[in-house]
Amino acid sequence: MFLDTVLARNPELVEAAAVLHQSGAIPPDTYVMDLDAVEANARLLAAEAERQGLTLWFVAKQFGRNPELIRAIARHIPKFAAIDPPEARILHAAGAQAGNLGHLVQIPTRSLPEMLAWRPETVTVYDVANAEAVSRAAQRLGFVQDVLVRLQGAPGTVHPGQEGGVPLEGLDDFAERVERLPGVRIAGVTAFPCVLCDPDTGEPEPTANLPLALAARDRLAARGHRGLKLSAPSASSVATLPLLARHGATHAEPGHALTGTTPLHAVDPGQSERPGYVYVSEVAHTLADGRPAVYGGGFYPRARIKDAFLPRSGVRLAVHDAPAENIDYYRLLEAPATPGDAGLGDTAVFAFRTQIFVTRSNVAVVAGLSSGTPRLRGLYDALGRALD
């Protein structure tokens, strides 16, 4: 999906990844992250957000909640939106500030005292029961917690496994009940996804959830709530921040833009953000018909992988699709025209859209690529834990 872009915009990363693998410094099934590129992307996003009058909360799930990358991003975007409690803990431990908790996964009630003690800017709540739980925990801690109302998504926009939220038609009843709670204050609204990129052209367009969130904010304003936030996550990048600002958003949540891997980057290599990672595997064996099999573990089902680059021979081989319900042991490549172009142990480099936190991959962080002095800073698992 991104191989053309990364070879054009960041060939040094591909070269460094191949050298690390061939030297034995990293194993197959490793994402190699360009620390310099990620920090530069964060700097660009922060500058554009300031121009547009937006506040950013960064998201870390897609790059494996890596503490090295978190610290680099937080130098420019200090606050995060955590998609679940384990991510929130890693982000907090790395020194980033809590912007929004409960973003996609509600905070379990028994974790509320721990996480509210960090004094997050906001907590997203999906229903009255969760608002009541936040209120009780905040009261015990001696303060009032700002909450964002998660809106129930418009028909056809909700991803399976992400259902929930307050229907627009039930917002007044919800607000009336939450307004009586002593430990919370309604501070704004959010919905997901608010922007999506066309799968063919990459062009970003608002979904039906963005006008839904605007309508909800207007209803809350009519009830007397002031200074309301509107966080409009999904596909937040330098190119989409002006769109969000025009539509009335106050907050955006960049994730894939930090690694230059939104769908827009796949079709337009000239986007502001530079591609910041590649995936490295190696040839494990060859089928009788000549097709190489490479080690798996990080082939995310929604990645739209097209081809692999084998640095030793310089060939590119198409990647065969695999059913999402199968275990990701291997992935097959097309047979090379010359059999010797793909042999046992050869490095294979890929560039595709991923969510590293749901893989079993390693994450290698490389610094110094921007100055021509690459060095491996560390090797981590897919959840941000350092490996020996």
Side-chain angles (χ1 to χ4, degrees), residues 344-367:
L344 180 67
D346 276 353
T347 302
V349 178
F350 306 77
F352 50 80
R353 185 175 172 88
T354 189
Q355 300 282 333
I356 293 176
F357 83 111
V358 299
T359 73
R360 61 179 189 272
S361 302
N362 306 289
V363 176
V365 179
V366 176

Side-chain angles (χ1 to χ4, degrees), residues 125 127-135 139 144-149 166 170-189 216-226 228:
V125 293
D127 57 19
V128 172
N130 273 280
E132 290 172 340
V134 173
S135 177
Q139 270 194 291
V144 175
Q145 175 63 56
D146 280 358
V147 297
L148 295 184
V149 183
V166 179
L171 181 60
D172 283 314
D173 178 65
F174 171 89
E176 184 177 349
R177 296 171 68 183
V178 172
E179 286 162 359
R180 295 198 293 264
L181 299 175
V184 294
R185 183 184 78 90
I186 296 175
V189 299
R217 186 172 66 177
D218 289 345
R219 286 198 184 189
L220 292 173
R223 296 183 64 86
H225 296 278
R226 297 290 177 263
L228 291 167

Side-chain angles (χ1 to χ4, degrees), residues 25 49 54 72 103 108 134 165 180 194 203 240 246 252 259 270 272 300 324 336 351 362 365:
L54 293 167
H103 161 66
V134 173
R180 295 198 293 264
C194 289
E203 285 300 311
T240 63
R246 288 196 305 272
T259 50
S272 300
Y300 179 61
N362 306 289
V365 179

Side-chain angles (χ1 to χ4, degrees), residues 33-235:
M33 314 296 300
D34 181 345
L35 181 65
D36 299 5
V38 171
E39 181 162 5
N41 292 339
R43 187 184 298 112
L44 287 170
L45 285 157
E48 183 61 27
E50 185 174 6
R51 280 192 290 271
Q52 299 297 334
L54 293 167
T55 297
L56 299 181
W57 294 324
F58 75 90
V59 179
K61 63 188 175 73
Q62 73 290 337
F63 58 75
R65 303 168 174 175
N66 186 274
E68 295 253 22
L69 302 180
I70 288 166
R71 286 189 286 268
I73 293 164
R75 285 194 281 271
H76 309 280
I77 306 172
K79 293 187 178 182
F80 62 80
I83 63 118
D84 61 18
E87 181 167 289
R89 292 186 180 99
I90 293 168
L91 286 154
H92 176 69
Q97 302 169 32
N100 185 22
L101 304 181
H103 161 66
L104 288 179
V105 178
Q106 292 287 269
I107 305 172
T109 53
R110 292 165 188 82
S111 299
L112 281 168
E114 169 199 0
M115 295 189 177
L116 293 190
W118 305 341
R119 298 305 302 265
E121 185 177 341
T122 61
V123 171
T124 293
V125 293
Y126 280 49
D127 57 19
V128 172
N130 273 280
E132 290 172 340
V134 173
S135 177
R136 289 192 295 270
Q139 270 194 291
R140 294 190 190 103
L141 292 168
F143 61 85
V144 175
Q145 175 63 56
D146 280 358
V147 297
L148 295 184
V149 183
R150 162 68 178 255
L151 276 300
Q152 180 178 290
T157 68
V158 180
H159 301 309
Q162 297 182 20
E163 300 87 355
V166 179
L168 183 63
E169 61 273 16
L171 181 60
D172 283 314
D173 178 65
F174 171 89
E176 184 177 349
R177 296 171 68 183
V178 172
E179 286 162 359
R180 295 198 293 264
L181 299 175
V184 294
R185 183 184 78 90
I186 296 175
V189 299
T190 188
F192 185 86
C194 289
V195 176
L196 288 177
C197 295
D198 183 279
D200 297 318
T201 67
E203 285 300 311
E205 295 290 343
T207 71
N209 290 330
L210 189 50
L212 185 74
L214 288 165
R217 186 172 66 177
D218 289 345
R219 286 198 184 189
L220 292 173
R223 296 183 64 86
H225 296 278
R226 297 290 177 263
L228 291 167
K229 299 176 172 66
L230 194 168
S231 184
S234 189

